[in-house]
Amino acid sequence: MAAITINIPEEQLQQLQVMAQANGISPEELLRATIEDWLNYPKSDFEQAANYVIKKNSELYRRLGVYAS
């Protein structure tokens, strides 16, 4: 298993610790489970949501020069 080190603000660390403690697990276990869920999230659902946002905001993106359809 590989290890990753990240830096987060102290306030976020405290929030993470509170959430983990409320669930009876370590902060590392909480993060591991969250990452696993995120990686396993159905990509089609994400793509559908992203396409909705792009379509909904297409005029704004066009004006800003951010997105060209």
Side-chain angles (χ1 to χ4, degrees):
M1 184 179 296
I4 296 176
T5 302
I6 61 169
N7 296 314
I8 61 173
E10 185 66 31
E11 182 179 303
Q12 288 180 345
L13 175 60
Q14 290 173 358
Q15 290 174 330
L16 176 64
Q17 291 169 331
V18 168
M19 289 176 66
Q21 186 176 21
N23 287 287
I25 58 176
S26 71
E28 294 83 2
E29 290 172 307
L30 177 59
L31 289 174
R32 191 177 308 113
T34 302
I35 291 168
E36 186 175 314
D37 286 348
W38 181 66
L39 292 173
N40 291 324
Y41 189 79
K43 289 177 180 38
S44 61
D45 289 349
F46 172 78
E47 289 172 3
Q48 184 179 6
N51 287 332
Y52 170 78
V53 170
I54 289 170
K55 182 177 178 182
K56 180 179 179 228
N57 296 314
S58 63
E59 179 61 23
L60 174 62
Y61 296 149
R62 186 189 64 74
R63 288 184 199 170
L64 295 172
V66 174
Y67 177 76
S69 45

